[in-house]
Amino acid sequence: KQEVTQIPAALSVPEGENLVLNCSFTDSAIYNLQWFRQDPGKGLTSLLLIQSSQREQTSGRLNASLDKSSGRSTLYIAASQPGDSATYLCAVRLIYSGGSNYKLTFGKGTLLTVNP
Amino acid sequence: DTAVSQTPKYLVTQMGNDKSIKCEQNLGHDTMYWYKQDSKKFLKIMFSYNNKELIINETVPNRFSPKSPDKAHLNLHINSLELGDSAVYFCASSPGEGPNTGELFFGEGSRLTVL
């Protein structure tokens, strides 16, 4: 059974700081890994998708890495801004095995606060 | 706008009632999902449909019945609502092919409160 852990559970940083959010998963036979952000009372917004054959993806100030062998992914946020404050969720999709390919397993998220 | 849209956004109802939440996606995706986010904000899959066929049913009580009339719609009907059903229910969809295969796109959520 896939388990996804995100550390830290909460993080508070001053504006402008670079930061790293961590995600670890127990089953390395993954199809892809996806990072989301969730603002209070809102749905999830997809930030980055890393397929199993990729090692990293970049979008603007965000960079996500994937190391399948160690079961880890990191989300790097450069020059953080107050608007980055949200909960960041990591989700992993297993390689097809019956219905498993259609299921994302989510971590519990990291609540990020960027202080002006 | 292209999106995953679900209605209603808020639903307050009495215990024992039956209610439905509707979801539509105009992204042309093959696969749709229902997720439940509990009070601790933990997201857990309930159902997944691929081209109108049920793929995943994650030990959800049979009071919950999804219905997919076509691949762009996945509705969730809940019978005999219980207090523990209070949560935010998210609909999502994903493409079945191409470079973004499996990337999930979420709706805004439907907050259900059972009194």
Side-chain angles (χ1 to χ4, degrees), chain A residues 72-110:
Chain A
R72 295 184 184 193
S73 176
T74 60
L75 179 67
Y76 175 82
I77 303 177
S80 58
Q81 303 170 357
D84 294 332
S85 298
T87 297
Y88 289 80
L89 293 145
C90 160
V92 175
R93 182 187 296 265
L94 287 175
I95 287 175
Y96 183 78
S97 173
S100 299
N101 182 262
Y102 295 96
K103 180 168 68 172
L104 254 64
T105 301
F106 280 84
K108 294 186 177 180
T110 294

PDB file of all heavy atoms in Angstrom, chain A residues 72-110:
ATOM      1  N   ARG A  72      11.603   9.842  -3.089  1.00  0.00           N
ATOM      2  CA  ARG A  72      11.521  11.230  -2.630  1.00  0.00           C
ATOM      3  C   ARG A  72      11.276  12.205  -3.767  1.00  0.00           C
ATOM      4  O   ARG A  72      11.731  12.011  -4.899  1.00  0.00           O
ATOM      5  CB  ARG A  72      12.807  11.635  -1.927  1.00  0.00           C
ATOM      6  CG  ARG A  72      13.052  10.868  -0.665  1.00  0.00           C
ATOM      7  CD  ARG A  72      14.267  11.359   0.065  1.00  0.00           C
ATOM      8  NE  ARG A  72      14.505  10.525   1.235  1.00  0.00           N
ATOM      9  CZ  ARG A  72      15.327  10.828   2.211  1.00  0.00           C
ATOM     10  NH1 ARG A  72      15.991  11.969   2.171  1.00  0.00           N
ATOM     11  NH2 ARG A  72      15.485  10.016   3.219  1.00  0.00           N
ATOM     12  N   SER A  73      10.588  13.268  -3.414  1.00  0.00           N
ATOM     13  CA  SER A  73      10.432  14.400  -4.314  1.00  0.00           C
ATOM     14  C   SER A  73      10.558  15.668  -3.485  1.00  0.00           C
ATOM     15  O   SER A  73      10.191  15.690  -2.296  1.00  0.00           O
ATOM     16  CB  SER A  73       9.072  14.374  -5.020  1.00  0.00           C
ATOM     17  OG  SER A  73       8.890  15.527  -5.815  1.00  0.00           O
ATOM     18  N   THR A  74      11.107  16.704  -4.101  1.00  0.00           N
ATOM     19  CA  THR A  74      11.167  17.999  -3.430  1.00  0.00           C
ATOM     20  C   THR A  74      10.550  19.054  -4.324  1.00  0.00           C
ATOM     21  O   THR A  74      10.619  18.968  -5.558  1.00  0.00           O
ATOM     22  CB  THR A  74      12.611  18.416  -3.109  1.00  0.00           C
ATOM     23  OG1 THR A  74      13.347  18.509  -4.330  1.00  0.00           O
ATOM     24  CG2 THR A  74      13.280  17.414  -2.183  1.00  0.00           C
ATOM     25  N   LEU A  75       9.936  20.030  -3.698  1.00  0.00           N
ATOM     26  CA  LEU A  75       9.422  21.201  -4.400  1.00  0.00           C
ATOM     27  C   LEU A  75      10.195  22.408  -3.891  1.00  0.00           C
ATOM     28  O   LEU A  75      10.145  22.729  -2.703  1.00  0.00           O
ATOM     29  CB  LEU A  75       7.926  21.394  -4.159  1.00  0.00           C
ATOM     30  CG  LEU A  75       7.308  22.624  -4.844  1.00  0.00           C
ATOM     31  CD1 LEU A  75       7.330  22.463  -6.362  1.00  0.00           C
ATOM     32  CD2 LEU A  75       5.874  22.855  -4.366  1.00  0.00           C
ATOM     33  N   TYR A  76      10.930  23.019  -4.799  1.00  0.00           N
ATOM     34  CA  TYR A  76      11.754  24.180  -4.473  1.00  0.00           C
ATOM     35  C   TYR A  76      11.022  25.433  -4.936  1.00  0.00           C
ATOM     36  O   TYR A  76      10.592  25.506  -6.093  1.00  0.00           O
ATOM     37  CB  TYR A  76      13.110  24.038  -5.162  1.00  0.00           C
ATOM     38  CG  TYR A  76      14.032  25.213  -5.027  1.00  0.00           C
ATOM     39  CD1 TYR A  76      14.807  25.381  -3.881  1.00  0.00           C
ATOM     40  CD2 TYR A  76      14.151  26.158  -6.043  1.00  0.00           C
ATOM     41  CE1 TYR A  76      15.673  26.464  -3.762  1.00  0.00           C
ATOM     42  CE2 TYR A  76      15.009  27.234  -5.935  1.00  0.00           C
ATOM     43  CZ  TYR A  76      15.775  27.381  -4.797  1.00  0.00           C
ATOM     44  OH  TYR A  76      16.625  28.457  -4.675  1.00  0.00           O
ATOM     45  N   ILE A  77      10.864  26.378  -4.022  1.00  0.00           N
ATOM     46  CA  ILE A  77      10.233  27.650  -4.364  1.00  0.00           C
ATOM     47  C   ILE A  77      11.273  28.750  -4.182  1.00  0.00           C
ATOM     48  O   ILE A  77      11.802  28.940  -3.068  1.00  0.00           O
ATOM     49  CB  ILE A  77       8.993  27.942  -3.496  1.00  0.00           C
ATOM     50  CG1 ILE A  77       7.975  26.805  -3.618  1.00  0.00           C
ATOM     51  CG2 ILE A  77       8.362  29.272  -3.887  1.00  0.00           C
ATOM     52  CD1 ILE A  77       6.740  26.975  -2.736  1.00  0.00           C
ATOM     53  N   ALA A  78      11.570  29.438  -5.239  1.00  0.00           N
ATOM     54  CA  ALA A  78      12.575  30.507  -5.186  1.00  0.00           C
ATOM     55  C   ALA A  78      11.904  31.842  -4.891  1.00  0.00           C
ATOM     56  O   ALA A  78      10.780  32.106  -5.324  1.00  0.00           O
ATOM     57  CB  ALA A  78      13.315  30.582  -6.521  1.00  0.00           C
ATOM     58  N   ALA A  79      12.630  32.670  -4.146  1.00  0.00           N
ATOM     59  CA  ALA A  79      12.196  34.050  -3.880  1.00  0.00           C
ATOM     60  C   ALA A  79      10.716  34.092  -3.482  1.00  0.00           C
ATOM     61  O   ALA A  79       9.882  34.692  -4.174  1.00  0.00           O
ATOM     62  CB  ALA A  79      12.448  34.922  -5.110  1.00  0.00           C
ATOM     63  N   SER A  80      10.404  33.454  -2.382  1.00  0.00           N
ATOM     64  CA  SER A  80       9.006  33.291  -1.977  1.00  0.00           C
ATOM     65  C   SER A  80       8.310  34.640  -1.788  1.00  0.00           C
ATOM     66  O   SER A  80       8.938  35.653  -1.428  1.00  0.00           O
ATOM     67  CB  SER A  80       8.924  32.473  -0.690  1.00  0.00           C
ATOM     68  OG  SER A  80       9.662  33.087   0.341  1.00  0.00           O
ATOM     69  N   GLN A  81       6.992  34.616  -2.045  1.00  0.00           N
ATOM     70  CA  GLN A  81       6.159  35.819  -1.948  1.00  0.00           C
ATOM     71  C   GLN A  81       4.950  35.521  -1.070  1.00  0.00           C
ATOM     72  O   GLN A  81       4.541  34.364  -0.959  1.00  0.00           O
ATOM     73  CB  GLN A  81       5.674  36.222  -3.350  1.00  0.00           C
ATOM     74  CG  GLN A  81       6.770  36.468  -4.350  1.00  0.00           C
ATOM     75  CD  GLN A  81       6.246  36.625  -5.771  1.00  0.00           C
ATOM     76  OE1 GLN A  81       5.044  36.502  -6.032  1.00  0.00           O
ATOM     77  NE2 GLN A  81       7.156  36.917  -6.698  1.00  0.00           N
ATOM     78  N   PRO A  82       4.354  36.541  -0.464  1.00  0.00           N
ATOM     79  CA  PRO A  82       3.163  36.292   0.361  1.00  0.00           C
ATOM     80  C   PRO A  82       2.062  35.546  -0.391  1.00  0.00           C
ATOM     81  O   PRO A  82       1.341  34.743   0.193  1.00  0.00           O
ATOM     82  CB  PRO A  82       2.727  37.708   0.758  1.00  0.00           C
ATOM     83  CG  PRO A  82       3.999  38.492   0.781  1.00  0.00           C
ATOM     84  CD  PRO A  82       4.820  37.932  -0.356  1.00  0.00           C
ATOM     85  N   GLY A  83       1.959  35.769  -1.692  1.00  0.00           N
ATOM     86  CA  GLY A  83       0.961  35.074  -2.510  1.00  0.00           C
ATOM     87  C   GLY A  83       1.214  33.584  -2.650  1.00  0.00           C
ATOM     88  O   GLY A  83       0.340  32.853  -3.125  1.00  0.00           O
ATOM     89  N   ASP A  84       2.392  33.124  -2.242  1.00  0.00           N
ATOM     90  CA  ASP A  84       2.694  31.686  -2.268  1.00  0.00           C
ATOM     91  C   ASP A  84       2.090  30.974  -1.061  1.00  0.00           C
ATOM     92  O   ASP A  84       2.098  29.742  -1.001  1.00  0.00           O
ATOM     93  CB  ASP A  84       4.211  31.452  -2.263  1.00  0.00           C
ATOM     94  CG  ASP A  84       4.885  31.960  -3.526  1.00  0.00           C
ATOM     95  OD1 ASP A  84       4.234  31.999  -4.591  1.00  0.00           O
ATOM     96  OD2 ASP A  84       6.071  32.352  -3.439  1.00  0.00           O
ATOM     97  N   SER A  85       1.585  31.722  -0.109  1.00  0.00           N
ATOM     98  CA  SER A  85       1.010  31.112   1.092  1.00  0.00           C
ATOM     99  C   SER A  85      -0.184  30.238   0.716  1.00  0.00           C
ATOM    100  O   SER A  85      -1.137  30.710   0.085  1.00  0.00           O
ATOM    101  CB  SER A  85       0.569  32.194   2.083  1.00  0.00           C
ATOM    102  OG  SER A  85       1.675  32.967   2.508  1.00  0.00           O
ATOM    103  N   ALA A  86      -0.112  28.978   1.082  1.00  0.00           N
ATOM    104  CA  ALA A  86      -1.139  27.988   0.731  1.00  0.00           C
ATOM    105  C   ALA A  86      -0.710  26.655   1.322  1.00  0.00           C
ATOM    106  O   ALA A  86       0.374  26.543   1.901  1.00  0.00           O
ATOM    107  CB  ALA A  86      -1.284  27.859  -0.783  1.00  0.00           C
ATOM    108  N   THR A  87      -1.553  25.649   1.141  1.00  0.00           N
ATOM    109  CA  THR A  87      -1.145  24.280   1.468  1.00  0.00           C
ATOM    110  C   THR A  87      -0.663  23.611   0.199  1.00  0.00           C
ATOM    111  O   THR A  87      -1.323  23.676  -0.840  1.00  0.00           O
ATOM    112  CB  THR A  87      -2.325  23.489   2.068  1.00  0.00           C
ATOM    113  OG1 THR A  87      -2.725  24.102   3.290  1.00  0.00           O
ATOM    114  CG2 THR A  87      -1.914  22.046   2.340  1.00  0.00           C
ATOM    115  N   TYR A  88       0.506  22.991   0.281  1.00  0.00           N
ATOM    116  CA  TYR A  88       1.100  22.310  -0.863  1.00  0.00           C
ATOM    117  C   TYR A  88       0.983  20.805  -0.670  1.00  0.00           C
ATOM    118  O   TYR A  88       1.393  20.265   0.358  1.00  0.00           O
ATOM    119  CB  TYR A  88       2.556  22.733  -1.035  1.00  0.00           C
ATOM    120  CG  TYR A  88       2.651  24.164  -1.516  1.00  0.00           C
ATOM    121  CD1 TYR A  88       2.510  25.219  -0.619  1.00  0.00           C
ATOM    122  CD2 TYR A  88       2.840  24.458  -2.864  1.00  0.00           C
ATOM    123  CE1 TYR A  88       2.553  26.540  -1.063  1.00  0.00           C
ATOM    124  CE2 TYR A  88       2.895  25.770  -3.310  1.00  0.00           C
ATOM    125  CZ  TYR A  88       2.735  26.794  -2.404  1.00  0.00           C
ATOM    126  OH  TYR A  88       2.785  28.099  -2.843  1.00  0.00           O
ATOM    127  N   LEU A  89       0.403  20.159  -1.651  1.00  0.00           N
ATOM    128  CA  LEU A  89       0.145  18.725  -1.574  1.00  0.00           C
ATOM    129  C   LEU A  89       0.918  17.976  -2.644  1.00  0.00           C
ATOM    130  O   LEU A  89       1.028  18.428  -3.784  1.00  0.00           O
ATOM    131  CB  LEU A  89      -1.346  18.445  -1.766  1.00  0.00           C
ATOM    132  CG  LEU A  89      -2.237  18.980  -0.630  1.00  0.00           C
ATOM    133  CD1 LEU A  89      -3.553  19.453  -1.181  1.00  0.00           C
ATOM    134  CD2 LEU A  89      -2.483  17.892   0.386  1.00  0.00           C
ATOM    135  N   CYS A  90       1.430  16.842  -2.244  1.00  0.00           N
ATOM    136  CA  CYS A  90       2.132  15.942  -3.142  1.00  0.00           C
ATOM    137  C   CYS A  90       1.238  14.720  -3.346  1.00  0.00           C
ATOM    138  O   CYS A  90       0.614  14.256  -2.386  1.00  0.00           O
ATOM    139  CB  CYS A  90       3.456  15.579  -2.472  1.00  0.00           C
ATOM    140  SG  CYS A  90       4.259  14.109  -3.063  1.00  0.00           S
ATOM    141  N   ALA A  91       1.159  14.217  -4.574  1.00  0.00           N
ATOM    142  CA  ALA A  91       0.327  13.037  -4.843  1.00  0.00           C
ATOM    143  C   ALA A  91       1.051  12.114  -5.801  1.00  0.00           C
ATOM    144  O   ALA A  91       1.694  12.564  -6.757  1.00  0.00           O
ATOM    145  CB  ALA A  91      -1.017  13.453  -5.424  1.00  0.00           C
ATOM    146  N   VAL A  92       0.939  10.825  -5.548  1.00  0.00           N
ATOM    147  CA  VAL A  92       1.670   9.830  -6.321  1.00  0.00           C
ATOM    148  C   VAL A  92       0.693   8.861  -6.978  1.00  0.00           C
ATOM    149  O   VAL A  92      -0.261   8.410  -6.350  1.00  0.00           O
ATOM    150  CB  VAL A  92       2.634   9.046  -5.393  1.00  0.00           C
ATOM    151  CG1 VAL A  92       3.303   7.934  -6.156  1.00  0.00           C
ATOM    152  CG2 VAL A  92       3.662   9.979  -4.801  1.00  0.00           C
ATOM    153  N   ARG A  93       0.968   8.557  -8.246  1.00  0.00           N
ATOM    154  CA  ARG A  93       0.151   7.583  -8.973  1.00  0.00           C
ATOM    155  C   ARG A  93       0.999   6.350  -9.233  1.00  0.00           C
ATOM    156  O   ARG A  93       2.117   6.450  -9.730  1.00  0.00           O
ATOM    157  CB  ARG A  93      -0.327   8.176 -10.296  1.00  0.00           C
ATOM    158  CG  ARG A  93      -1.220   7.266 -11.129  1.00  0.00           C
ATOM    159  CD  ARG A  93      -1.477   7.905 -12.484  1.00  0.00           C
ATOM    160  NE  ARG A  93      -2.221   9.147 -12.340  1.00  0.00           N
ATOM    161  CZ  ARG A  93      -3.546   9.237 -12.456  1.00  0.00           C
ATOM    162  NH1 ARG A  93      -4.265   8.156 -12.704  1.00  0.00           N
ATOM    163  NH2 ARG A  93      -4.155  10.389 -12.335  1.00  0.00           N
ATOM    164  N   LEU A  94       0.453   5.177  -8.902  1.00  0.00           N
ATOM    165  CA  LEU A  94       1.211   3.932  -9.099  1.00  0.00           C
ATOM    166  C   LEU A  94       1.167   3.492 -10.552  1.00  0.00           C
ATOM    167  O   LEU A  94       0.265   3.854 -11.306  1.00  0.00           O
ATOM    168  CB  LEU A  94       0.628   2.821  -8.231  1.00  0.00           C
ATOM    169  CG  LEU A  94       0.887   2.915  -6.727  1.00  0.00           C
ATOM    170  CD1 LEU A  94       0.148   1.806  -6.011  1.00  0.00           C
ATOM    171  CD2 LEU A  94       2.372   2.834  -6.439  1.00  0.00           C
ATOM    172  N   ILE A  95       2.147   2.677 -10.918  1.00  0.00           N
ATOM    173  CA  ILE A  95       2.136   2.034 -12.230  1.00  0.00           C
ATOM    174  C   ILE A  95       0.918   1.115 -12.296  1.00  0.00           C
ATOM    175  O   ILE A  95       0.494   0.570 -11.284  1.00  0.00           O
ATOM    176  CB  ILE A  95       3.437   1.230 -12.434  1.00  0.00           C
ATOM    177  CG1 ILE A  95       4.591   2.195 -12.670  1.00  0.00           C
ATOM    178  CG2 ILE A  95       3.321   0.257 -13.601  1.00  0.00           C
ATOM    179  CD1 ILE A  95       5.945   1.517 -12.767  1.00  0.00           C
ATOM    180  N   TYR A  96       0.380   0.973 -13.483  1.00  0.00           N
ATOM    181  CA  TYR A  96      -0.885   0.252 -13.661  1.00  0.00           C
ATOM    182  C   TYR A  96      -0.839  -1.134 -13.039  1.00  0.00           C
ATOM    183  O   TYR A  96       0.028  -1.923 -13.302  1.00  0.00           O
ATOM    184  CB  TYR A  96      -1.222   0.127 -15.141  1.00  0.00           C
ATOM    185  CG  TYR A  96      -2.544  -0.542 -15.373  1.00  0.00           C
ATOM    186  CD1 TYR A  96      -3.731   0.162 -15.195  1.00  0.00           C
ATOM    187  CD2 TYR A  96      -2.626  -1.879 -15.737  1.00  0.00           C
ATOM    188  CE1 TYR A  96      -4.956  -0.435 -15.381  1.00  0.00           C
ATOM    189  CE2 TYR A  96      -3.846  -2.482 -15.933  1.00  0.00           C
ATOM    190  CZ  TYR A  96      -5.008  -1.759 -15.754  1.00  0.00           C
ATOM    191  OH  TYR A  96      -6.232  -2.365 -15.946  1.00  0.00           O
ATOM    192  N   SER A  97      -1.804  -1.370 -12.196  1.00  0.00           N
ATOM    193  CA  SER A  97      -1.981  -2.711 -11.614  1.00  0.00           C
ATOM    194  C   SER A  97      -3.444  -2.821 -11.251  1.00  0.00           C
ATOM    195  O   SER A  97      -3.871  -2.340 -10.203  1.00  0.00           O
ATOM    196  CB  SER A  97      -1.104  -2.863 -10.364  1.00  0.00           C
ATOM    197  OG  SER A  97      -1.395  -4.094  -9.725  1.00  0.00           O
ATOM    198  N   GLY A  98      -4.222  -3.386 -12.141  1.00  0.00           N
ATOM    199  CA  GLY A  98      -5.657  -3.348 -11.943  1.00  0.00           C
ATOM    200  C   GLY A  98      -6.129  -1.923 -12.018  1.00  0.00           C
ATOM    201  O   GLY A  98      -5.897  -1.249 -12.999  1.00  0.00           O
ATOM    202  N   GLY A  99      -6.732  -1.433 -10.960  1.00  0.00           N
ATOM    203  CA  GLY A  99      -7.231  -0.061 -10.977  1.00  0.00           C
ATOM    204  C   GLY A  99      -6.258   0.943 -10.394  1.00  0.00           C
ATOM    205  O   GLY A  99      -6.547   2.126 -10.331  1.00  0.00           O
ATOM    206  N   SER A 100      -5.074   0.470  -9.978  1.00  0.00           N
ATOM    207  CA  SER A 100      -4.185   1.358  -9.234  1.00  0.00           C
ATOM    208  C   SER A 100      -3.743   2.564 -10.021  1.00  0.00           C
ATOM    209  O   SER A 100      -3.484   3.612  -9.467  1.00  0.00           O
ATOM    210  CB  SER A 100      -2.945   0.581  -8.776  1.00  0.00           C
ATOM    211  OG  SER A 100      -3.311  -0.464  -7.925  1.00  0.00           O
ATOM    212  N   ASN A 101      -3.619   2.388 -11.345  1.00  0.00           N
ATOM    213  CA  ASN A 101      -3.129   3.488 -12.157  1.00  0.00           C
ATOM    214  C   ASN A 101      -4.041   4.692 -12.110  1.00  0.00           C
ATOM    215  O   ASN A 101      -3.603   5.807 -12.388  1.00  0.00           O
ATOM    216  CB  ASN A 101      -2.946   3.022 -13.602  1.00  0.00           C
ATOM    217  CG  ASN A 101      -2.400   4.103 -14.489  1.00  0.00           C
ATOM    218  OD1 ASN A 101      -3.141   4.767 -15.195  1.00  0.00           O
ATOM    219  ND2 ASN A 101      -1.104   4.317 -14.432  1.00  0.00           N
ATOM    220  N   TYR A 102      -5.280   4.487 -11.739  1.00  0.00           N
ATOM    221  CA  TYR A 102      -6.223   5.585 -11.741  1.00  0.00           C
ATOM    222  C   TYR A 102      -6.329   6.260 -10.384  1.00  0.00           C
ATOM    223  O   TYR A 102      -7.170   7.112 -10.185  1.00  0.00           O
ATOM    224  CB  TYR A 102      -7.600   5.076 -12.172  1.00  0.00           C
ATOM    225  CG  TYR A 102      -7.600   4.580 -13.590  1.00  0.00           C
ATOM    226  CD1 TYR A 102      -7.429   3.235 -13.885  1.00  0.00           C
ATOM    227  CD2 TYR A 102      -7.749   5.461 -14.652  1.00  0.00           C
ATOM    228  CE1 TYR A 102      -7.418   2.789 -15.189  1.00  0.00           C
ATOM    229  CE2 TYR A 102      -7.743   5.023 -15.956  1.00  0.00           C
ATOM    230  CZ  TYR A 102      -7.571   3.682 -16.217  1.00  0.00           C
ATOM    231  OH  TYR A 102      -7.555   3.240 -17.506  1.00  0.00           O
ATOM    232  N   LYS A 103      -5.511   5.866  -9.450  1.00  0.00           N
ATOM    233  CA  LYS A 103      -5.653   6.377  -8.098  1.00  0.00           C
ATOM    234  C   LYS A 103      -4.413   7.165  -7.688  1.00  0.00           C
ATOM    235  O   LYS A 103      -3.305   6.673  -7.770  1.00  0.00           O
ATOM    236  CB  LYS A 103      -5.858   5.212  -7.134  1.00  0.00           C
ATOM    237  CG  LYS A 103      -6.015   5.629  -5.693  1.00  0.00           C
ATOM    238  CD  LYS A 103      -6.496   4.472  -4.831  1.00  0.00           C
ATOM    239  CE  LYS A 103      -5.486   3.390  -4.686  1.00  0.00           C
ATOM    240  NZ  LYS A 103      -5.931   2.381  -3.696  1.00  0.00           N
ATOM    241  N   LEU A 104      -4.615   8.390  -7.273  1.00  0.00           N
ATOM    242  CA  LEU A 104      -3.545   9.164  -6.668  1.00  0.00           C
ATOM    243  C   LEU A 104      -3.629   9.017  -5.169  1.00  0.00           C
ATOM    244  O   LEU A 104      -4.710   9.084  -4.588  1.00  0.00           O
ATOM    245  CB  LEU A 104      -3.683  10.647  -7.021  1.00  0.00           C
ATOM    246  CG  LEU A 104      -2.700  11.193  -8.042  1.00  0.00           C
ATOM    247  CD1 LEU A 104      -2.903  10.543  -9.378  1.00  0.00           C
ATOM    248  CD2 LEU A 104      -2.803  12.704  -8.137  1.00  0.00           C
ATOM    249  N   THR A 105      -2.466   8.815  -4.563  1.00  0.00           N
ATOM    250  CA  THR A 105      -2.391   8.807  -3.113  1.00  0.00           C
ATOM    251  C   THR A 105      -1.773  10.124  -2.682  1.00  0.00           C
ATOM    252  O   THR A 105      -0.664  10.466  -3.107  1.00  0.00           O
ATOM    253  CB  THR A 105      -1.546   7.636  -2.612  1.00  0.00           C
ATOM    254  OG1 THR A 105      -2.123   6.412  -3.082  1.00  0.00           O
ATOM    255  CG2 THR A 105      -1.508   7.621  -1.092  1.00  0.00           C
ATOM    256  N   PHE A 106      -2.479  10.851  -1.837  1.00  0.00           N
ATOM    257  CA  PHE A 106      -2.045  12.178  -1.418  1.00  0.00           C
ATOM    258  C   PHE A 106      -1.321  12.141  -0.082  1.00  0.00           C
ATOM    259  O   PHE A 106      -1.635  11.323   0.798  1.00  0.00           O
ATOM    260  CB  PHE A 106      -3.256  13.096  -1.252  1.00  0.00           C
ATOM    261  CG  PHE A 106      -3.774  13.654  -2.542  1.00  0.00           C
ATOM    262  CD1 PHE A 106      -4.647  12.921  -3.328  1.00  0.00           C
ATOM    263  CD2 PHE A 106      -3.399  14.914  -2.966  1.00  0.00           C
ATOM    264  CE1 PHE A 106      -5.130  13.426  -4.530  1.00  0.00           C
ATOM    265  CE2 PHE A 106      -3.875  15.437  -4.158  1.00  0.00           C
ATOM    266  CZ  PHE A 106      -4.743  14.689  -4.939  1.00  0.00           C
ATOM    267  N   GLY A 107      -0.362  13.063   0.059  1.00  0.00           N
ATOM    268  CA  GLY A 107       0.179  13.364   1.372  1.00  0.00           C
ATOM    269  C   GLY A 107      -0.777  14.292   2.092  1.00  0.00           C
ATOM    270  O   GLY A 107      -1.780  14.736   1.529  1.00  0.00           O
ATOM    271  N   LYS A 108      -0.453  14.610   3.339  1.00  0.00           N
ATOM    272  CA  LYS A 108      -1.333  15.469   4.123  1.00  0.00           C
ATOM    273  C   LYS A 108      -1.048  16.945   3.929  1.00  0.00           C
ATOM    274  O   LYS A 108      -1.756  17.790   4.462  1.00  0.00           O
ATOM    275  CB  LYS A 108      -1.267  15.092   5.599  1.00  0.00           C
ATOM    276  CG  LYS A 108      -1.835  13.715   5.868  1.00  0.00           C
ATOM    277  CD  LYS A 108      -1.911  13.395   7.348  1.00  0.00           C
ATOM    278  CE  LYS A 108      -2.559  12.024   7.538  1.00  0.00           C
ATOM    279  NZ  LYS A 108      -2.669  11.657   8.963  1.00  0.00           N
ATOM    280  N   GLY A 109       0.001  17.234   3.175  1.00  0.00           N
ATOM    281  CA  GLY A 109       0.261  18.618   2.821  1.00  0.00           C
ATOM    282  C   GLY A 109       1.194  19.339   3.754  1.00  0.00           C
ATOM    283  O   GLY A 109       1.415  18.941   4.903  1.00  0.00           O
ATOM    284  N   THR A 110       1.777  20.411   3.224  1.00  0.00           N
ATOM    285  CA  THR A 110       2.580  21.344   4.019  1.00  0.00           C
ATOM    286  C   THR A 110       1.910  22.703   3.927  1.00  0.00           C
ATOM    287  O   THR A 110       1.697  23.212   2.815  1.00  0.00           O
ATOM    288  CB  THR A 110       4.018  21.439   3.481  1.00  0.00           C
ATOM    289  OG1 THR A 110       4.683  20.195   3.657  1.00  0.00           O
ATOM    290  CG2 THR A 110       4.790  22.537   4.201  1.00  0.00           C
TER     291      THR A 110
END
